[in-house]
Amino acid sequence: MFYCGDYDELLEDSLIEELEWLKEEFEFLFNSRKHHPTEKDKQLANQMIENVFNKIDFLDDSRINDLLIEALENIEYNFPKFF
């Protein structure tokens, strides 16, 4: 099977979609409780972040590291009590 296009670009696009999903899930699940999260909310939030980050191999790619950091900072900014 042959793919047209740049493999790294496809991986980056996939990562961007995954990070967008993570931000949207945080909004959907926790927006109403962002100021008073329960311990269960915090555990679920951390598990979601951990699962997404464990899927991604970002050891030597600074662009991917930047995207991950940006997404996490965005989530932390919007949901500071979860951290």
Side-chain angles (χ1 to χ4, degrees):
M1 178 182 291
F2 294 100
Y3 291 99
C4 295
D6 183 12
Y7 181 71
D8 290 335
E9 188 175 312
L10 292 172
L11 285 176
E12 188 174 307
D13 290 345
S14 177
L15 171 63
I16 291 169
E17 288 176 17
E18 188 82 18
L19 294 174
E20 285 299 316
W21 171 87
L22 182 62
K23 289 188 259 184
E24 290 171 5
E25 282 298 300
F26 261 77
E27 289 292 328
F28 180 76
L29 292 172
F30 306 121
N31 198 37
S32 65
R33 299 186 303 267
K34 74 164 70 174
H35 299 293
H36 303 289
T38 65
E39 281 304 311
K40 204 171 219 179
D41 291 336
K42 291 177 185 180
Q43 289 173 347
L44 178 59
N46 284 310
Q47 185 179 18
M48 289 169 56
I49 291 170
E50 186 176 321
N51 288 342
V52 169
F53 279 47
N54 284 339
K55 289 184 196 177
I56 301 165
D57 181 16
F58 55 93
L59 297 174
D60 291 331
D61 191 330
S62 64
R63 173 70 179 137
I64 290 176
N65 282 334
D66 292 344
L67 290 170
L68 291 169
I69 291 168
E70 180 183 330
L72 189 55
E73 286 175 345
N74 182 288
I75 291 170
E76 186 176 10
Y77 177 79
N78 289 314
F79 298 91
K81 296 197 179 216
F82 283 75
F83 293 88

Coordinates of all heavy atoms in Angstrom, one line a residue:
M1 N 0.8 -1.2 0.0 CA 0.0 0.0 0.0 C 0.9 1.2 0.0 O 1.8 1.3 0.8 CB -0.9 0.0 1.2 CG -1.8 1.2 1.3 SD -2.8 1.2 2.8 CE -3.9 -0.1 2.5
F2 N 0.6 2.2 -0.9 CA 1.4 3.4 -1.0 C 0.5 4.6 -0.6 O -0.7 4.6 -0.9 CB 1.9 3.6 -2.4 CG 2.9 2.6 -2.8 CD1 2.5 1.5 -3.6 CD2 4.2 2.6 -2.4 CE1 3.4 0.5 -3.9 CE2 5.1 1.7 -2.8 CZ 4.7 0.6 -3.5
Y3 N 1.1 5.5 0.1 CA 0.4 6.8 0.5 C 1.0 7.9 -0.3 O 2.2 8.0 -0.4 CB 0.6 7.0 2.0 CG -0.1 6.0 2.8 CD1 0.6 4.9 3.4 CD2 -1.4 6.1 3.1 CE1 0.0 4.0 4.2 CE2 -2.1 5.1 3.9 CZ -1.4 4.1 4.4 OH -2.0 3.2 5.2
C4 N 0.1 8.8 -0.7 CA 0.6 10.0 -1.3 C 0.6 11.1 -0.2 O -0.3 11.2 0.6 CB -0.4 10.5 -2.3 SG -0.5 9.4 -3.7
G5 N 1.7 11.8 -0.2 CA 1.8 12.9 0.8 C 2.9 12.6 1.8 O 3.6 11.6 1.8
D6 N 3.1 13.5 2.7 CA 4.2 13.5 3.6 C 3.7 12.8 4.9 O 2.8 13.2 5.5 CB 4.7 14.9 3.9 CG 5.8 15.0 4.8 OD1 6.5 13.9 5.1 OD2 6.1 16.1 5.3
Y7 N 4.4 11.7 5.3 CA 4.0 10.9 6.4 C 4.0 11.7 7.7 O 3.1 11.7 8.5 CB 4.9 9.7 6.6 CG 4.6 8.8 7.7 CD1 3.5 8.0 7.7 CD2 5.4 8.8 8.8 CE1 3.1 7.2 8.8 CE2 5.1 8.0 9.9 CZ 4.0 7.2 9.9 OH 3.7 6.4 11.0
D8 N 5.1 12.6 7.9 CA 5.1 13.4 9.1 C 4.0 14.4 9.1 O 3.4 14.7 10.2 CB 6.5 14.2 9.1 CG 7.6 13.3 9.4 OD1 7.4 12.2 10.0 OD2 8.8 13.6 9.0
E9 N 3.6 14.9 8.0 CA 2.5 15.9 7.9 C 1.2 15.1 8.3 O 0.3 15.7 9.0 CB 2.3 16.5 6.5 CG 1.3 17.6 6.5 CD 1.3 18.2 5.1 OE1 2.4 18.6 4.6 OE2 0.2 18.4 4.5
L10 N 1.0 13.9 7.8 CA -0.2 13.1 8.2 C -0.2 12.9 9.7 O -1.3 12.9 10.3 CB -0.2 11.8 7.4 CG -0.5 11.9 5.9 CD1 -0.3 10.5 5.3 CD2 -1.9 12.4 5.6
L11 N 0.9 12.5 10.3 CA 1.0 12.3 11.7 C 0.6 13.6 12.5 O -0.1 13.5 13.5 CB 2.4 11.8 12.1 CG 2.7 10.4 11.8 CD1 4.1 10.0 12.2 CD2 1.7 9.4 12.5
E12 N 1.2 14.7 12.0 CA 0.9 16.0 12.7 C -0.6 16.3 12.6 O -1.2 16.7 13.6 CB 1.8 17.1 12.1 CG 1.7 18.4 12.9 CD 2.6 19.4 12.3 OE1 3.8 19.1 12.2 OE2 2.2 20.5 12.0
D13 N -1.2 16.1 11.5 CA -2.6 16.4 11.3 C -3.4 15.5 12.2 O -4.4 15.9 12.9 CB -3.1 16.1 9.9 CG -2.5 17.2 8.9 OD1 -2.1 18.3 9.4 OD2 -2.6 16.9 7.7
S14 N -3.0 14.2 12.4 CA -3.7 13.3 13.3 C -3.6 13.8 14.7 O -4.6 13.7 15.5 CB -3.2 11.9 13.1 OG -3.8 11.0 14.0
L15 N -2.4 14.2 15.1 CA -2.2 14.7 16.4 C -3.0 15.9 16.7 O -3.6 16.1 17.8 CB -0.7 15.1 16.6 CG -0.3 15.8 17.9 CD1 -0.6 15.0 19.1 CD2 1.1 16.2 17.9
I16 N -3.1 16.8 15.7 CA -3.9 18.0 15.9 C -5.4 17.7 16.1 O -6.0 18.2 17.0 CB -3.7 19.0 14.7 CG1 -2.3 19.6 14.7 CG2 -4.8 20.1 14.7 CD1 -1.9 20.3 13.5
E17 N -5.9 16.7 15.4 CA -7.3 16.3 15.6 C -7.5 15.6 16.9 O -8.5 15.9 17.6 CB -7.6 15.2 14.5 CG -7.8 15.8 13.1 CD -8.1 14.8 12.1 OE1 -8.4 13.6 12.4 OE2 -7.9 15.1 10.9
E18 N -6.5 14.9 17.4 CA -6.6 14.2 18.7 C -6.6 15.3 19.8 O -7.4 15.2 20.8 CB -5.4 13.3 18.9 CG -5.5 12.4 20.1 CD -6.4 11.2 20.0 OE1 -6.7 10.8 18.9 OE2 -6.8 10.7 21.0
L19 N -5.8 16.3 19.7 CA -5.7 17.4 20.7 C -6.9 18.2 20.7 O -7.4 18.7 21.7 CB -4.4 18.2 20.5 CG -3.1 17.4 20.7 CD1 -1.9 18.3 20.4 CD2 -3.0 17.0 22.2
E20 N -7.5 18.5 19.5 CA -8.8 19.2 19.4 C -9.9 18.4 20.1 O -10.7 18.9 20.8 CB -9.1 19.5 18.0 CG -8.3 20.6 17.4 CD -8.5 21.9 18.1 OE1 -9.7 22.3 18.4 OE2 -7.5 22.6 18.3
W21 N -9.9 17.1 19.9 CA -10.9 16.2 20.5 C -10.7 16.3 22.0 O -11.7 16.5 22.8 CB -10.7 14.7 20.1 CG -11.5 13.8 20.9 CD1 -12.8 13.4 20.7 CD2 -11.1 13.1 22.1 NE1 -13.2 12.6 21.7 CE2 -12.2 12.4 22.6 CE3 -10.0 13.1 22.9 CZ2 -12.2 11.6 23.7 CZ3 -9.9 12.4 24.0 CH2 -11.0 11.6 24.5
L22 N -9.5 16.3 22.6 CA -9.3 16.4 24.0 C -9.8 17.7 24.6 O -10.5 17.7 25.6 CB -7.8 16.2 24.3 CG -7.4 16.3 25.7 CD1 -8.0 15.1 26.5 CD2 -5.8 16.2 25.9
K23 N -9.5 18.8 23.9 CA -10.0 20.1 24.4 C -11.6 20.1 24.3 O -12.2 20.6 25.3 CB -9.5 21.2 23.5 CG -8.0 21.5 23.7 CD -7.5 22.7 23.0 CE -6.8 22.4 21.8 NZ -6.2 23.5 21.1
E24 N -12.2 19.6 23.3 CA -13.6 19.6 23.2 C -14.2 18.7 24.2 O -15.3 19.0 24.8 CB -14.0 19.1 21.8 CG -13.7 20.1 20.7 CD -14.0 19.6 19.3 OE1 -14.4 18.4 19.1 OE2 -13.7 20.3 18.3
E25 N -13.6 17.6 24.5 CA -14.1 16.7 25.6 C -14.1 17.4 26.9 O -15.0 17.2 27.7 CB -13.3 15.4 25.6 CG -13.7 14.4 24.5 CD -15.2 13.9 24.6 OE1 -15.6 13.3 25.6 OE2 -15.9 14.2 23.6
F26 N -13.0 18.1 27.2 CA -12.9 18.8 28.5 C -14.1 19.8 28.6 O -14.7 19.9 29.6 CB -11.6 19.5 28.6 CG -10.6 18.8 29.4 CD1 -9.9 17.7 28.9 CD2 -10.3 19.2 30.7 CE1 -9.0 17.1 29.7 CE2 -9.4 18.6 31.5 CZ -8.7 17.5 31.0
E27 N -14.3 20.5 27.5 CA -15.4 21.5 27.5 C -16.8 20.8 27.7 O -17.6 21.2 28.5 CB -15.5 22.3 26.2 CG -14.4 23.3 26.0 CD -14.4 24.5 26.9 OE1 -15.6 24.9 27.3 OE2 -13.4 25.0 27.3
F28 N -17.0 19.7 27.0 CA -18.2 19.0 27.1 C -18.4 18.4 28.5 O -19.5 18.5 29.1 CB -18.3 17.9 26.0 CG -19.6 17.1 26.0 CD1 -20.8 17.7 25.6 CD2 -19.6 15.8 26.6 CE1 -21.9 16.9 25.6 CE2 -20.8 15.1 26.6 CZ -21.9 15.6 26.1
L29 N -17.4 17.7 29.0 CA -17.6 17.0 30.3 C -17.5 17.8 31.5 O -18.2 17.6 32.5 CB -16.5 15.9 30.3 CG -16.6 14.7 29.4 CD1 -15.4 13.8 29.4 CD2 -17.9 13.9 29.6
F30 N -16.6 18.8 31.5 CA -16.3 19.5 32.7 C -16.6 21.0 32.7 O -16.4 21.7 33.8 CB -14.8 19.4 33.0 CG -14.3 18.0 33.0 CD1 -13.3 17.5 32.1 CD2 -14.8 17.1 33.9 CE1 -12.9 16.2 32.1 CE2 -14.4 15.7 33.9 CZ -13.4 15.3 33.0
N31 N -17.2 21.6 31.7 CA -17.4 23.0 31.7 C -18.3 23.5 32.8 O -18.1 24.5 33.4 CB -18.0 23.4 30.3 CG -17.8 24.9 30.1 OD1 -16.8 25.5 30.5 ND2 -18.8 25.5 29.5
S32 N -19.3 22.7 33.1 CA -20.3 23.1 34.1 C -19.7 23.0 35.5 O -20.2 23.6 36.5 CB -21.6 22.3 34.0 OG -21.3 21.0 34.3
R33 N -18.6 22.2 35.7 CA -18.0 22.0 37.0 C -16.6 22.5 37.0 O -15.8 22.1 37.9 CB -18.0 20.5 37.3 CG -19.4 19.9 37.4 CD -19.5 18.5 37.8 NE -18.7 17.6 37.0 CZ -19.2 16.9 36.0 NH1 -20.4 17.0 35.6 NH2 -18.4 16.0 35.3
K34 N -16.2 23.3 36.1 CA -14.8 23.7 36.1 C -14.3 24.5 37.3 O -13.1 24.4 37.7 CB -14.5 24.5 34.8 CG -15.0 25.9 34.8 CD -14.3 26.8 33.7 CE -14.7 26.5 32.4 NZ -14.2 27.4 31.4
H35 N -15.2 25.1 38.1 CA -14.8 25.9 39.3 C -14.9 25.0 40.5 O -14.3 25.4 41.5 CB -15.7 27.1 39.4 CG -15.5 28.0 38.2 ND1 -14.3 28.7 38.0 CD2 -16.4 28.4 37.2 CE1 -14.5 29.4 36.9 NE2 -15.7 29.3 36.4
H36 N -15.6 23.9 40.5 CA -15.8 23.0 41.6 C -15.7 21.6 41.2 O -16.7 20.8 41.4 CB -17.1 23.3 42.4 CG -17.2 24.8 42.8 ND1 -16.5 25.3 43.8 CD2 -18.0 25.8 42.3 CE1 -16.8 26.6 44.0 NE2 -17.7 26.9 43.1
P37 N -14.6 21.1 40.7 CA -14.5 19.7 40.2 C -14.4 18.8 41.4 O -13.9 19.1 42.5 CB -13.2 19.7 39.4 CG -12.4 20.8 40.0 CD -13.3 21.8 40.4
T38 N -15.0 17.6 41.3 CA -14.9 16.5 42.3 C -13.5 15.8 42.0 O -12.9 16.0 41.0 CB -16.0 15.5 42.2 OG1 -15.9 14.8 40.9 CG2 -17.4 16.2 42.3
E39 N -13.2 15.0 43.0 CA -12.0 14.2 42.8 C -12.1 13.2 41.7 O -11.2 13.0 40.9 CB -11.7 13.4 44.1 CG -11.0 14.2 45.2 CD -9.7 14.9 44.7 OE1 -8.9 14.2 44.1 OE2 -9.6 16.1 45.0
K40 N -13.3 12.7 41.5 CA -13.6 11.8 40.3 C -13.4 12.6 39.0 O -12.9 12.0 38.0 CB -15.0 11.3 40.4 CG -15.2 10.0 39.7 CD -16.6 9.5 40.1 CE -16.5 8.0 40.2 NZ -17.7 7.3 40.6
D41 N -13.9 13.9 38.9 CA -13.6 14.7 37.7 C -12.1 14.8 37.5 O -11.7 14.7 36.3 CB -14.2 16.1 37.9 CG -15.8 16.1 37.9 OD1 -16.4 15.1 37.4 OD2 -16.3 17.0 38.5
K42 N -11.4 15.1 38.5 CA -9.9 15.3 38.3 C -9.3 14.0 37.9 O -8.4 14.1 37.0 CB -9.3 15.8 39.7 CG -9.7 17.2 40.1 CD -9.1 17.5 41.4 CE -9.6 18.9 41.9 NZ -9.0 19.2 43.2
Q43 N -9.7 12.9 38.4 CA -9.1 11.6 38.0 C -9.4 11.3 36.6 O -8.5 10.9 35.8 CB -9.6 10.5 38.9 CG -9.1 10.5 40.3 CD -9.7 9.5 41.2 OE1 -10.8 8.9 40.9 NE2 -9.2 9.3 42.4
L44 N -10.7 11.5 36.2 CA -11.0 11.3 34.8 C -10.3 12.2 33.8 O -9.8 11.8 32.8 CB -12.5 11.5 34.6 CG -13.1 11.3 33.2 CD1 -12.8 9.9 32.6 CD2 -14.6 11.6 33.1
A45 N -10.2 13.5 34.2 CA -9.4 14.5 33.4 C -8.0 14.0 33.2 O -7.4 14.0 32.1 CB -9.5 15.8 34.0
N46 N -7.3 13.7 34.3 CA -5.9 13.2 34.2 C -5.8 12.0 33.4 O -4.8 11.8 32.7 CB -5.3 13.1 35.6 CG -5.0 14.5 36.2 OD1 -4.4 15.3 35.6 ND2 -5.5 14.7 37.4
Q47 N -6.7 11.0 33.5 CA -6.7 9.8 32.8 C -6.8 10.1 31.3 O -6.1 9.5 30.5 CB -7.8 8.9 33.2 CG -7.8 7.5 32.6 CD -8.9 6.6 33.1 OE1 -9.8 7.1 33.7 NE2 -8.7 5.3 32.9
M48 N -7.7 11.0 30.9 CA -7.9 11.4 29.5 C -6.6 12.0 28.9 O -6.2 11.6 27.8 CB -9.0 12.4 29.4 CG -10.4 11.9 29.6 SD -11.7 13.1 29.8 CE -11.5 14.0 28.3
I49 N -6.0 12.9 29.7 CA -4.7 13.5 29.2 C -3.7 12.4 29.1 O -2.9 12.3 28.1 CB -4.3 14.6 30.2 CG1 -5.3 15.8 30.1 CG2 -2.9 15.0 29.9 CD1 -5.0 16.8 31.1
E50 N -3.5 11.6 30.1 CA -2.5 10.5 30.0 C -2.7 9.6 28.9 O -1.8 9.2 28.2 CB -2.6 9.7 31.4 CG -1.4 8.7 31.5 CD -1.5 8.0 32.8 OE1 -1.7 8.7 33.9 OE2 -1.2 6.8 32.9
N51 N -4.0 9.2 28.6 CA -4.2 8.3 27.5 C -3.9 8.9 26.1 O -3.3 8.2 25.3 CB -5.7 7.9 27.5 CG -6.0 6.9 28.6 OD1 -5.2 6.3 29.2 ND2 -7.3 6.8 28.9
V52 N -4.2 10.2 25.9 CA -3.8 10.8 24.7 C -2.3 10.9 24.5 O -1.8 10.6 23.5 CB -4.5 12.2 24.6 CG1 -3.9 13.0 23.4 CG2 -6.0 12.1 24.4
F53 N -1.7 11.3 25.6 CA -0.2 11.5 25.5 C 0.5 10.2 25.4 O 1.6 10.2 24.7 CB 0.3 12.3 26.8 CG 0.1 13.8 26.7 CD1 -1.1 14.3 26.3 CD2 1.1 14.6 27.0 CE1 -1.3 15.7 26.1 CE2 1.0 16.0 26.8 CZ -0.2 16.5 26.4
N54 N 0.0 9.1 25.9 CA 0.6 7.8 25.8 C 0.5 7.3 24.4 O 1.3 6.5 24.0 CB 0.0 6.8 26.8 CG 0.5 7.0 28.2 OD1 1.6 7.7 28.4 ND2 -0.2 6.5 29.1
K55 N -0.4 7.7 23.6 CA -0.6 7.3 22.2 C 0.4 7.9 21.3 O 0.7 7.5 20.2 CB -2.0 7.7 21.7 CG -3.1 6.9 22.2 CD -4.3 7.4 21.5 CE -5.6 7.0 22.1 NZ -6.8 7.6 21.4
I56 N 1.1 9.0 21.8 CA 1.9 9.8 20.9 C 3.4 9.6 21.2 O 3.8 9.7 22.3 CB 1.5 11.3 21.1 CG1 0.0 11.5 20.8 CG2 2.4 12.2 20.2 CD1 -0.5 12.8 21.3
D57 N 4.1 9.3 20.1 CA 5.6 9.2 20.3 C 6.1 10.6 19.8 O 6.2 10.9 18.6 CB 6.1 8.1 19.4 CG 7.6 7.9 19.5 OD1 8.2 8.5 20.4 OD2 8.1 7.3 18.6
F58 N 6.6 11.4 20.8 CA 7.0 12.7 20.5 C 8.5 13.0 20.9 O 8.8 14.1 21.2 CB 6.1 13.7 21.1 CG 5.9 13.6 22.6 CD1 6.6 14.3 23.4 CD2 4.9 12.8 23.0 CE1 6.4 14.2 24.8 CE2 4.7 12.6 24.4 CZ 5.5 13.3 25.3
L59 N 9.2 11.9 21.0 CA 10.6 12.1 21.6 C 11.5 13.1 20.9 O 12.1 13.9 21.5 CB 11.3 10.7 21.6 CG 10.6 9.6 22.4 CD1 11.2 8.3 22.2 CD2 10.5 10.0 23.9
D60 N 11.5 13.1 19.5 CA 12.5 13.9 18.8 C 11.9 15.0 17.9 O 12.6 15.5 17.1 CB 13.4 13.0 18.0 CG 14.3 12.2 18.9 OD1 14.7 12.6 20.0 OD2 14.7 11.1 18.5
D61 N 10.6 15.2 18.1 CA 10.0 16.2 17.1 C 9.5 17.4 17.9 O 8.6 17.4 18.7 CB 8.8 15.5 16.5 CG 8.2 16.3 15.3 OD1 8.3 17.5 15.4 OD2 7.7 15.7 14.4
S62 N 10.2 18.5 17.7 CA 10.0 19.7 18.5 C 8.6 20.3 18.1 O 7.9 20.9 19.0 CB 11.1 20.7 18.3 OG 11.1 21.1 16.9
R63 N 8.2 20.1 16.9 CA 6.8 20.7 16.5 C 5.7 19.9 17.2 O 4.8 20.5 17.7 CB 6.6 20.5 15.0 CG 5.3 20.9 14.5 CD 5.0 22.3 14.6 NE 3.6 22.6 14.0 CZ 2.8 23.4 14.6 NH1 3.1 24.1 15.7 NH2 1.6 23.6 14.1
I64 N 5.8 18.6 17.4 CA 4.8 17.8 18.1 C 4.9 18.2 19.6 O 3.9 18.4 20.2 CB 5.0 16.3 17.9 CG1 4.7 16.0 16.4 CG2 4.2 15.5 18.8 CD1 4.9 14.6 16.0
N65 N 6.1 18.3 20.1 CA 6.2 18.8 21.5 C 5.5 20.1 21.7 O 4.8 20.3 22.7 CB 7.7 18.9 21.9 CG 8.3 17.6 22.2 OD1 7.7 16.6 22.6 ND2 9.6 17.5 22.1
D66 N 5.7 21.1 20.8 CA 5.1 22.4 20.9 C 3.6 22.3 20.9 O 2.9 22.9 21.6 CB 5.6 23.3 19.8 CG 7.0 23.7 19.9 OD1 7.6 23.5 21.0 OD2 7.6 24.2 18.9
L67 N 3.1 21.4 20.0 CA 1.6 21.2 19.9 C 1.1 20.6 21.2 O 0.0 21.1 21.7 CB 1.2 20.3 18.8 CG 1.4 20.9 17.4 CD1 1.3 19.8 16.3 CD2 0.5 22.0 17.1
L68 N 1.8 19.7 21.8 CA 1.3 19.0 23.0 C 1.3 20.0 24.2 O 0.4 20.1 25.0 CB 2.2 17.8 23.4 CG 2.1 16.6 22.4 CD1 3.2 15.7 22.7 CD2 0.7 16.0 22.7
I69 N 2.4 20.8 24.3 CA 2.5 21.8 25.3 C 1.4 22.8 25.2 O 0.8 23.2 26.2 CB 3.9 22.4 25.3 CG1 5.0 21.4 25.8 CG2 4.0 23.7 26.2 CD1 6.4 21.8 25.6
E70 N 1.2 23.3 24.0 CA 0.2 24.3 23.7 C -1.2 23.8 24.1 O -2.0 24.5 24.8 CB 0.2 24.7 22.3 CG -0.8 25.8 21.9 CD -0.8 26.0 20.4 OE1 0.2 25.9 19.8 OE2 -1.9 26.4 19.9
A71 N -1.5 22.6 23.8 CA -2.8 22.0 24.1 C -3.0 21.9 25.6 O -4.0 22.2 26.2 CB -3.0 20.7 23.4
L72 N -1.9 21.4 26.3 CA -2.0 21.2 27.7 C -2.1 22.5 28.4 O -2.9 22.7 29.4 CB -0.8 20.4 28.2 CG -0.8 20.0 29.7 CD1 -2.1 19.1 30.0 CD2 0.4 19.2 30.0
E73 N -1.4 23.5 28.0 CA -1.5 24.9 28.6 C -2.9 25.5 28.4 O -3.4 26.1 29.3 CB -0.4 25.8 28.0 CG 1.0 25.5 28.5 CD 2.1 26.3 27.9 OE1 1.8 27.0 26.8 OE2 3.2 26.3 28.4
N74 N -3.5 25.2 27.2 CA -4.8 25.7 27.0 C -5.8 25.1 27.9 O -6.7 25.8 28.5 CB -5.2 25.4 25.5 CG -6.5 25.9 25.1 OD1 -7.5 25.4 25.6 ND2 -6.5 27.0 24.3
I75 N -5.7 23.8 28.1 CA -6.6 23.1 29.0 C -6.4 23.5 30.4 O -7.3 23.8 31.2 CB -6.4 21.5 28.9 CG1 -7.0 21.1 27.5 CG2 -7.2 20.8 30.0 CD1 -6.6 19.6 27.2
E76 N -5.1 23.6 30.8 CA -4.8 24.1 32.2 C -5.3 25.5 32.4 O -5.8 25.8 33.5 CB -3.3 24.0 32.4 CG -2.9 24.3 33.9 CD -1.4 24.1 34.1 OE1 -0.7 24.0 33.1 OE2 -1.1 24.2 35.3
Y77 N -5.2 26.4 31.4 CA -5.7 27.7 31.6 C -7.2 27.8 31.8 O -7.8 28.5 32.6 CB -5.3 28.6 30.3 CG -5.9 30.0 30.3 CD1 -5.2 31.0 31.1 CD2 -7.0 30.3 29.6 CE1 -5.7 32.2 31.1 CE2 -7.5 31.6 29.7 CZ -6.9 32.6 30.4 OH -7.4 33.9 30.5
N78 N -8.0 26.9 31.0 CA -9.4 26.9 31.1 C -10.0 26.1 32.3 O -11.1 26.3 32.7 CB -10.0 26.4 29.8 CG -9.8 27.3 28.6 OD1 -10.1 28.5 28.8 ND2 -9.4 26.8 27.5
F79 N -9.2 25.2 32.8 CA -9.6 24.3 33.9 C -8.5 24.2 34.9 O -8.0 23.2 35.3 CB -9.9 22.9 33.3 CG -11.0 22.9 32.3 CD1 -10.7 23.0 31.0 CD2 -12.3 22.7 32.7 CE1 -11.7 23.0 30.0 CE2 -13.3 22.7 31.8 CZ -13.1 22.9 30.5
P80 N -8.1 25.4 35.5 CA -7.0 25.4 36.5 C -7.2 24.5 37.7 O -6.3 24.0 38.3 CB -6.9 26.9 36.9 CG -8.2 27.5 36.6 CD -8.8 26.7 35.4
K81 N -8.4 24.3 38.2 CA -8.7 23.6 39.4 C -8.5 22.1 39.2 O -8.6 21.3 40.1 CB -10.0 23.9 39.9 CG -10.1 25.3 40.4 CD -11.3 25.6 41.3 CE -11.2 27.0 41.6 NZ -11.7 27.3 43.0
F82 N -8.3 21.7 37.9 CA -8.1 20.3 37.6 C -6.6 19.9 37.7 O -6.3 18.7 37.6 CB -8.6 19.9 36.2 CG -10.1 19.8 36.1 CD1 -10.9 20.9 36.2 CD2 -10.7 18.6 36.0 CE1 -12.3 20.8 36.1 CE2 -12.1 18.4 36.0 CZ -12.9 19.6 36.0
F83 N -5.8 20.8 38.0 CA -4.3 20.6 38.0 C -3.8 20.9 39.4 O -4.2 21.7 40.1 CB -3.6 21.4 36.9 CG -4.0 20.9 35.5 CD1 -5.1 21.5 34.9 CD2 -3.2 20.0 34.9 CE1 -5.4 21.0 33.6 CE2 -3.5 19.5 33.6 CZ -4.6 20.1 33.0

